[in-house]
Amino acid sequence: GGGGGSGGAREEAGLVELVPGGADILVTAENRGRYVHLMAHHLLHAQIRRQSAAFVAGFRSLVPPEWLRVFAPAELRLLISGAGGRIDVDDLARSSMYSGGYTADHPTMKMLWEAVSEFEDEDQRMFLRFVTSCGNTPLLGFSQLQPAFCVHRSGMAGGSDAPEASADLARLPTAATCMNLLKLPPYRTKEAIRDKLLYAIKSGSGFDLS
């Protein structure tokens, strides 16, 4: 148990008693359930009380509590986190921006949205999380996403103006979630887009400094 087998918790400042006189109470098979409960309360509540109070005070300085009281918890979660389920890929495509040589009419972009529309529900959410860090659709649609979802042509050996023949098509897609930016090489088939995207979003290797 914590505190060298006694009813306490070790911290940098010393021993914190979970109950009065806890430093002198040994943790045994009979009282270990209570000890675990007290330790969890200490770690998740008492130990971070000051930090939690500072967070709540800061949040309330930005969002008055009376604004939140009109929402049920499920409604507030929906407002903050958006809706789950399948992505409206048409809405995402309409709301997206393109850079590095891509346009909405670029063949790779048409194949991208076709591939994403064919993903399973969970893969669609993983794709969205890969680029934006959130797997849910914004409550009012992708037009409300800030900054706007953007697809950038990447893997070009000579920069954005280089011919696509110079592209490194072995390179995986990457993302910059702080900018909602997908960096996608100009793959030539829908199958390549699907396979490379699924590999990238499921391997957790999406961030780079390019």
Side-chain angles (χ1 to χ4, degrees):
S6 62
R10 288 288 181 187
E11 292 189 343
E12 290 184 6
L15 184 71
V16 175
E17 292 188 329
L18 302 178
V19 294
D24 299 319
I25 301 174
L26 293 177
V27 178
T28 66
E30 288 73 26
N31 66 16
R32 64 187 177 188
R34 184 175 184 232
Y35 170 75
V36 169
H37 175 79
L38 290 169
M39 179 62 82
H41 181 271
H42 173 73
L43 294 176
L44 300 177
H45 297 283
Q47 190 178 52
I48 61 172
R49 182 177 291 118
R50 185 176 63 180
Q51 294 91 331
S52 296
F55 173 83
V56 171
F59 183 79
R60 288 178 174 175
S61 71
L62 297 173
V63 183
E66 56 269 21
W67 290 7
L68 303 179
R69 295 192 184 107
V70 300
F71 299 104
E75 293 172 328
L76 189 59
R77 178 184 179 280
L78 180 64
L79 183 63
I80 294 174
S81 300
R86 288 191 67 78
I87 294 174
D88 185 342
V89 178
D90 289 339
D91 179 45
L92 178 57
R94 284 193 304 268
S95 304
S96 292
M97 300 178 64
Y98 305 93
S99 64
Y102 281 148
T103 65
D105 295 325
H106 191 285
T108 301
M109 293 302 91
K110 292 182 177 181
M111 291 186 291
L112 167 66
W113 301 125
E114 288 178 11
V116 173
S117 68
E118 295 170 2
F119 281 1
E120 298 292 334
D121 292 9
E122 181 58 26
D123 290 339
Q124 285 191 344
R125 289 192 292 272
M126 288 180 68
F127 166 72
L128 192 58
R129 188 179 298 113
F130 178 77
V131 182
T132 70
S133 78
C134 179
N136 294 328
T137 300
L139 181 60
L140 300 178
F142 288 106
S143 63
Q144 302 303 306
L145 196 61
Q146 293 294 331
F149 194 102
C150 183
V151 187
H152 177 80
R153 190 177 65 159
S154 66
M156 309 305 295
S160 297
D161 295 329
E164 291 195 350
S166 69
D168 179 6
L169 301 182
R171 181 172 178 160
L172 288 174
T174 56
T177 55
C178 58
M179 297 185 291
N180 296 332
L181 178 68
L182 172 65
K183 291 179 273 189
L184 186 77
Y187 303 120
R188 298 190 177 98
T189 67
K190 183 173 67 175
E191 291 72 25
I193 293 174
R194 181 193 63 228
D195 294 345
K196 296 285 189 180
L197 266 179
L198 289 176
Y199 185 89
I201 66 180
K202 293 183 178 183
S203 68
S205 59
F207 183 78
D208 72 3
L209 299 176
S210 62

